[in-house]
Amino acid sequence: MAEHESAQARLDKVVMLIASNIVAEVCSLYLRRRDGSLELVATEGLNPGAVHNTHLKPGEGLVGLVAEQAEPKQFADAQHHPAFSYRPETGEEAYHSFVGVPILRGGHTIGVLTVQNRTMRQYGDEEVEALQTTAMVIAETLAAGGIVSDEVTAETRRDSNARFMGQPISESVALGHVVLHEPRIVVTRLIAEDVDLERRRLQQAIEELTGQIDDMMERGDLARAGEHHEVLEAFRMFAHDHGWRRRLDEALATGLTAEAAVQRVRNDTRARMLRMPDPRFRDRLHDIDDLSNRLLRFLSGGTETAATGSCPRDAIVIARTMGPAELLDYDRQRLRGLVLEEGGVNSHVAIVRRALGIAAITQCKGVLEAVEQGDAAIVDAQGGELHLRPTQEVISAYSDKVRFQARKQAQYAALRNVPAMTLDDQRVGLHINAGLLFDLPHLDQSGADGIGLFRTELQFMISSTFPRLDQQTRLYKSILDSAGKRPVVFRSLDVGGDKVIPYFRAGAEENPALGWRAIRMALDRPALFRTQIRALLRAAQGRELRVMLPMISDVSEFETARGLIDRELTILKKHGRTEPTKLMVGAMIEVPALLWQLDSLLPLADFVSVGSNDLVQFLFAADRGNDRVSGRFDALSPAALRAFRQIVLAADRHGTPLTLCGEMAGRPLEAMALVGLGFRSISMAPASVGPVKAMVLSLDAENLRRRLDTLLEERKTSLREDLKRFAAETGVQI
Ligand code: PEP
Ligand code: MG
């Protein structure tokens, strides 16, 4: 109660001071309530009995008009304005002139500050400016919790629970606390002591900021920083915009510090953009926020992201967008979840998921607007949901889910050293997909048989220039060192399509998925490919080396690439270097044309691996990265399964080792179908090894093979439900 009273006393003091400074008879403060109405919370000059008793509905009266339009308004003869709403309890009939300014926070009106005089006077620009500055001080003080009362501050404190939907990019659930990837600077010093000094500080910070943006664009170092080119273009546009700079100067001239001026201009710009009818302007709100944040960070001397600061032990990192390298800067032990506002389920995000296995969702629109550092949060990457400041009921429901998840993990961990053997004694090799050094501990933790797919392009994607021969050699060597006796399949550089190397511009293509990519690039520009092969051969001295070639469409491509590899081997020998004990060269089967060349390819290849992600997208002509079409066709359709079976039969005929390394291998139901079709080796994300092994241990493969023989003849779009039924009837754990 005492606190409440002192808050009221402070509000009263504010209005009294303003009234005396501006020489006005009335100064009043209205704040928005939860229901959207505006409540008179303090006044100097109006009837004190009206305080907390006068409420204006949204849009009502001149105060409502200021709030709605979020800009200053003045009227010399207010009472004759059509919007004027007469409230007898206030006694305001005596006052003619009126000026009102919005109290803005994040571009939203949280209140209105008004001044009234008896005479029909015109308020000068300077007076209106001074009022706006005061409104900003009030907004900041309210936000900092300085002057609050429970009823009227709903809009300033984001204390209600909220739920956001996004696209899941991993399968787990995490509870924790929000860490904003780009920390927000809280402006605490608002009034300048030395205006010239503030002007110089701002000037220097703007120069540093524009320099940084120009640099980033020039270096093209966007993937590392997770920036979109478009976003940087927008930054650049704002940063060089004279209007923006002029508004900053004007704000400084009212006596604000550099930080407060940035905040003030951000608020005003946001308010204007929020009222634009064209939604594209609203999309740009992020740009002005990001830019202002960056500028504030320069002013405060801290330009780093949260990764370099201290993080709670249960961090849920929230960002607009983020590159893989930036994510890898976080302490893995403290990272529980990741939520991105932007970014399709593209290669960057896929890397994140594959490398970390944390609960992650993307395309979570509007979350940055609603979130504060330290908020409690739950990322449900199974349902693609984020709960902010969850209620106790939601927390308990999810705690149960997390406990269940942990119990399951413990069960899987117990299976670590158990060989993946079906009930009818079929051994199924379970391998992991990897791409960074980061993934290696997973090999031991999951108890996998080896690395079935090492995506070498990831090293290229997270660096800012082409990794040199020695850098590549070092990475491959450490991979082989930690794998020990377990086999590692290195896939040669698979770029193009959705896998972009920012510093390597191959020219725009209409259809990048069908364009100049992977082995096609390697054969046209053999220097890059040969360097990589040289690095692999050097790394594998005295041990076995397996190299796999992606996106082979014609057997001749395999032959030519193999020729290049053999040439590198000859050079290695000529230089007297130790050779690998054994060199195996394999092909990926991911282009449908290969299905009709299997009898020529299989005798030439030391092994083959089905890239089902690409094979399915090309079989159905449905872009794997496009949500609208990727879910339309099922890898468990008779059409796709027949294609897989055809490969199994051909590999058996030729005695060529066969595996499958697309995402489906990591989903127990899909993996079950693959084992039923005859696959005896599959490769998947490390987190999937446990669940897939549990499935294998409970499956009678021969029984499923017989069931599939009949099912594959049926005319259906998908066999998913039939396979689930089979699992339920026969007790397979999926
Ligand atoms: C595939 O296409 O299935 C595959 C494993 O390769 P990537 O996902 O890297 O294209
Ligand atoms: Mg592929």
Side-chain angles (χ1 to χ4, degrees):
M1 189 65 196
E3 233 175 63
H4 195 268
E5 275 169 5
S6 74
Q8 185 64 52
R10 269 183 282 170
L11 289 178
D12 291 343
K13 198 165 154 206
V14 169
V15 289
M16 195 191 77
L17 280 173
I18 301 169
S20 65
N21 276 340
I22 292 190
V23 196
E25 281 106 18
V26 176
C27 176
S28 312
L29 176 61
Y30 296 80
L31 290 182
R32 207 190 268 291
R33 292 168 56 103
R34 281 176 203 278
D35 62 3
S37 67
L38 287 155
E39 176 178 319
L40 177 68
V41 297
T43 185
E44 170 70 20
L46 292 186
N47 189 349
V51 171
H52 298 305
N53 290 322
T54 295
H55 294 115
L56 295 162
K57 289 198 282 294
E60 187 186 349
L62 298 178
V63 172
L65 189 70
V66 173
E68 211 168 58
Q69 304 202 352
E71 59 186 24
K73 298 255 171 245
Q74 64 159 305
F75 308 101
D77 186 7
Q79 290 172 25
H80 289 103
H81 189 279
F84 182 76
S85 164
Y86 175 57
R87 289 306 180 91
E89 74 273 16
T90 60
E92 66 183 330
E93 59 276 18
Y95 306 102
H96 287 282
S97 48
F98 167 102
V99 56
V101 299
I103 300 174
L104 297 170
R105 180 115 190 109
H108 297 283
T109 306
I110 59 168
V112 173
L113 184 64
T114 66
V115 157
Q116 289 166 279
N117 279 75
R118 280 179 206 279
T119 53
M120 288 198 198
R121 62 166 290 205
Q122 190 72 33
Y123 298 91
D125 285 351
E126 273 176 23
E127 284 171 310
V128 178
E129 270 293 340
L131 262 187
Q132 281 183 280
T133 301
T134 314
M136 177 179 166
V137 176
I138 295 174
E140 295 298 323
T141 323
L142 284 170
I147 18 180
V148 291
S149 90
D150 271 353
E151 316 86 74
V152 292
T153 53
E155 254 56 41
T156 64
R157 280 190 288 151
R158 300 161 181 171
D159 51 2
S160 51
N161 55 75
R163 178 165 160 264
F164 293 86
M165 298 306 289
Q167 291 294 324
I169 41 173
S170 73
E171 308 226 310
S172 50
V173 170
L175 276 74
H177 288 90
V178 168
V179 170
L180 292 172
H181 177 56
E182 307 233 321
R184 285 186 195 136
I185 305 288
V186 180
V187 180
T188 47
R189 215 170 47 86
L190 298 167
I191 307 299
E193 277 159 25
D194 176 347
V195 175
D196 282 337
L197 174 69
E198 297 302 324
R199 205 180 293 283
R200 285 196 301 277
R201 288 182 63 229
L202 186 61
Q203 183 58 30
Q204 192 187 341
I206 292 180
E207 274 166 24
E208 283 170 346
L209 173 75
T210 45
Q212 185 198 49
I213 296 170
D214 291 348
D215 253 18
M216 273 162 102
M217 293 206 59
E218 220 155 87
R219 269 184 297 145
D221 189 7
L222 307 185
R224 194 181 153 77
E227 302 290 5
H228 294 331
H229 206 267
E230 260 173 69
V231 171
L232 281 186
E233 277 292 1
F235 280 3
R236 175 133 82 172
M237 200 181 77
F238 267 119
H240 290 279
D241 175 38
H242 292 299
W244 187 61
R245 300 232 181 155
R246 183 177 41 74
R247 284 192 291 278
L248 284 172
D249 277 342
E250 284 167 3
L252 277 179
T254 67
L256 293 176
T257 58
E259 288 88 345
V262 174
Q263 191 80 311
R264 160 87 187 274
V265 171
R266 169 210 275 191
N267 276 339
D268 294 350
T269 315
R270 267 187 138 262
R272 259 187 298 121
M273 285 179 160
L274 276 171
R275 280 178 296 118
M276 302 268 192
D278 185 340
R280 275 174 306 178
F281 283 108
R282 266 167 272 148
D283 286 348
R284 298 265 69 97
L285 281 177
H286 273 317
D287 297 331
I288 186 79
D289 274 345
D290 279 1
L291 192 72
S292 308
N293 248 325
R294 271 167 204 247
L295 194 51
L296 286 176
R297 287 213 298 275
F298 273 113
L299 280 167
S300 70
T303 52
E304 320 233 292
T305 68
T308 44
S310 65
C311 248
R313 298 207 149 268
D314 57 356
I316 303 227
V317 174
I318 301 194
R320 180 178 177 187
T321 152
M322 191 192 291
E326 281 195 304
L327 184 66
L328 294 173
D329 283 341
Y330 280 90
D331 176 354
R332 172 68 189 91
Q333 302 305 320
R334 291 170 179 265
L335 201 59
R336 293 230 181 130
L338 173 71
V339 178
L340 300 179
E341 271 215 345
E342 288 173 14
V345 188
N346 62 19
S347 48
H348 289 157
V349 182
I351 292 164
V352 165
R353 176 189 59 159
R354 285 167 192 146
L356 296 177
I358 52 172
I361 54 180
T362 183
Q363 290 171 26
C364 209
K365 295 269 180 263
V367 56
L368 280 170
E369 182 99 343
V371 73
E372 296 280 3
Q373 179 85 4
D375 275 349
I378 298 175
V379 183
D380 174 358
Q382 284 162 358
E385 286 177 30
L386 167 74
H387 296 269
L388 278 184
R389 304 172 289 268
T391 58
Q392 203 45 50
E393 294 78 54
V394 174
I395 294 176
S396 346
Y398 274 101
S399 305
D400 285 349
K401 225 170 168 173
V402 168
R403 268 195 295 278
F404 178 72
Q405 196 174 286
R407 260 204 312 275
K408 278 247 166 216
Q409 286 306 330
Q411 282 168 12
Y412 298 142
L415 297 179
R416 211 170 67 118
N417 298 318
V418 177
M421 192 80 87
T422 62
L423 295 173
D424 52 338
D425 292 335
Q426 299 290 314
R427 174 75 163 90
V428 182
L430 301 184
H431 302 260
I432 61 165
N433 295 346
L436 295 166
L437 261 184
F438 204 91
D439 294 314
L440 284 176
H442 296 312
L443 192 53
D444 286 329
Q445 285 157 10
S446 64
D449 295 303
I451 299 181
L453 166 65
F454 189 86
R455 292 180 159 101
T456 59
E457 60 274 10
L458 298 198
Q459 185 190 19
F460 288 70
M461 286 165 73
I462 65 169
S463 31
S464 42
T465 52
F466 274 115
R468 293 189 314 269
L469 174 68
D470 59 324
Q471 289 170 312
Q472 293 184 47
T473 311
R474 218 173 313 130
L475 173 68
Y476 304 150
K477 195 166 167 319
S478 359
I479 304 293
L480 288 167
D481 288 347
S482 20
K485 292 203 174 337
R486 289 163 294 195
V488 180
V489 176
F490 290 98
R491 176 173 70 187
S492 67
L493 201 55
D494 182 12
V495 290
D498 68 340
K499 297 170 189 153
V500 184
I501 302 187
Y503 45 89
F504 179 58
R505 288 191 212 293
E509 293 182 306
E510 287 257 326
N511 253 320
L514 308 179
W516 194 57
R517 50 180 298 197
I519 197 72
R520 303 169 184 184
M521 253 182 211
L523 297 179
D524 290 353
R525 296 258 185 94
L528 205 60
F529 179 70
R530 286 177 52 195
T531 307
Q532 186 176 35
I533 297 299
R534 199 169 299 172
L536 285 166
L537 288 169
R538 288 188 186 182
Q541 292 185 344
R543 42 193 170 182
E544 184 186 277
L545 174 63
R546 300 179 189 219
V547 181
M548 177 159 79
L549 305 169
M551 290 291 291
I552 298 283
S553 316
D554 188 274
V555 180
S556 66
E557 292 174 329
F558 181 79
E559 289 175 308
T560 314
R562 177 145 210 165
L564 289 172
I565 297 174
D566 288 340
R567 224 167 80 198
E568 283 309 311
L569 186 62
T570 315
I571 296 173
L572 187 86
K573 285 190 212 162
K574 227 186 334 202
H575 285 93
R577 288 181 183 265
T578 318
E579 298 166 52
T581 48
K582 187 174 177 192
L583 171 63
M584 298 168 76
V585 183
M588 285 194 80
I589 302 183
E590 42 189 358
V591 178
L594 269 195
L595 295 177
W596 292 275
Q597 302 174 65
L598 291 172
D599 288 328
S600 332
L601 175 73
L602 293 174
L604 299 175
D606 296 319
F607 62 93
V608 286
S609 183
V610 179
S612 54
N613 301 338
D614 278 316
L615 186 58
V616 172
Q617 91 161 332
F618 294 133
L619 275 175
F620 290 103
D623 183 350
R624 66 195 247 191
N626 177 343
D627 291 341
R628 283 173 94 166
V629 297
S630 61
R632 230 178 160 96
F633 306 99
D634 198 346
L636 294 182
S637 60
L641 294 179
R642 270 191 230 157
F644 297 144
R645 186 171 63 175
Q646 190 181 327
I647 300 169
V648 172
L649 296 176
D652 278 353
R653 253 192 337 268
H654 294 278
T656 310
L658 166 71
T659 186
L660 181 144
C661 58
E663 297 305 308
M664 65 182 295
R667 294 190 278 266
L669 184 72
E670 277 87 335
M672 179 188 89
L674 294 171
V675 176
L677 288 173
F679 281 89
R680 292 295 173 264
S681 168
I682 46 181
S683 192
M684 63 204 73
S688 297
V689 173
V692 169
K693 193 183 275 187
M695 178 282 294
V696 170
L697 293 171
S698 54
L699 171 71
D700 180 335
E702 177 54 22
N703 191 9
L704 176 57
R705 188 193 63 75
R706 283 196 300 270
R707 179 75 65 97
L708 276 171
D709 275 350
T710 345
L711 286 174
L712 286 186
E713 299 313 316
E714 294 190 10
R715 196 194 147 274
K716 282 192 172 163
T717 311
S718 169
L719 297 179
R720 189 165 289 276
E721 293 311 314
D722 306 80
L723 288 163
K724 279 190 191 158
R725 214 169 305 121
F726 171 85
E729 282 164 20
T730 61
V732 182
Q733 273 192 46
I734 49 163

